[in-house]
Amino acid sequence: MIILMLAAAPLAPPPELEVNVERLRNGRGLVHLCLTRNPAHFPDCGSDPGAVKRSVDARLRTPIRIAGIAPGAWALSVIHDENGNGKLDTMIGIPREGFGFSRNPTIRFGPPRFGQVRFDLGGGIARQTVRMQYLL
């Protein structure tokens, strides 16, 4: 009887992340999203084999949905790659292109720590709104 009740219990929907990117300076280039669970690979999670990465046209103004993500703690970094060269361009260490993070931490000197942007992904849809920042 217990087995029958467990079999009839509804399953939690698979995790999915919906990211809304706000304050893009323009529609040029690409928006790169990078999700990591590994603090050692944040904010540049390009070398993280477990990272989830997506790139979308910057003209796209609808939320970006990412399915198939494992539940747990994640951190999200976003880059507005205006010239489409696949990286965040800098001038004397200062970003020339837009950037943003999950939970929208205050940026002082350097990128935020993993713990400042960490969010938990469980079953169903999690939503993050990222406000882009431009320093130059």
Side-chain angles (χ1 to χ4, degrees):
M1 182 66 137
I2 294 175
I3 295 172
L4 196 54
M5 288 175 26
L6 289 175
L11 296 175
E16 187 172 342
L17 178 63
E18 181 179 283
V19 180
N20 186 30
V21 179
E22 295 181 343
R23 299 183 186 170
L24 282 175
R25 175 163 54 194
N26 56 54
R28 292 193 308 255
L30 298 169
V31 174
H32 301 294
L33 289 81
C34 199
L35 282 158
T36 184
R37 297 173 75 168
N38 186 338
H41 288 283
F42 180 82
D44 180 14
C45 65
S47 62
D48 179 1
V52 177
K53 303 169 202 161
R54 297 289 186 276
S55 295
V56 297
D57 190 307
R59 294 174 292 189
L60 180 68
R61 299 296 178 159
T62 60
I64 302 157
R65 294 188 86 143
I66 305 171
I69 304 172
W74 291 87
L76 171 66
S77 58
V78 180
I79 295 172
H80 181 195
D81 181 12
E82 293 177 88
N83 60 6
N85 67 352
K87 63 179 185 172
L88 178 66
D89 294 327
T90 62
M91 181 185 337
I92 59 171
I94 301 170
R96 295 178 56 199
E97 296 176 303
F99 59 90
F101 303 97
S102 45
R103 298 183 55 204
N104 299 300
T106 300
I107 303 299
R108 291 193 172 34
F109 298 100
R113 294 181 319 277
F114 183 90
Q116 292 176 283
V117 300
R118 176 189 174 276
F119 65 94
D120 291 316
L121 185 62
I125 299 173
R127 290 176 175 84
Q128 285 290 320
T129 298
V130 175
R131 289 186 301 275
M132 299 304 292
Q133 299 182 51
Y134 298 86
L135 301 180
L136 296 177

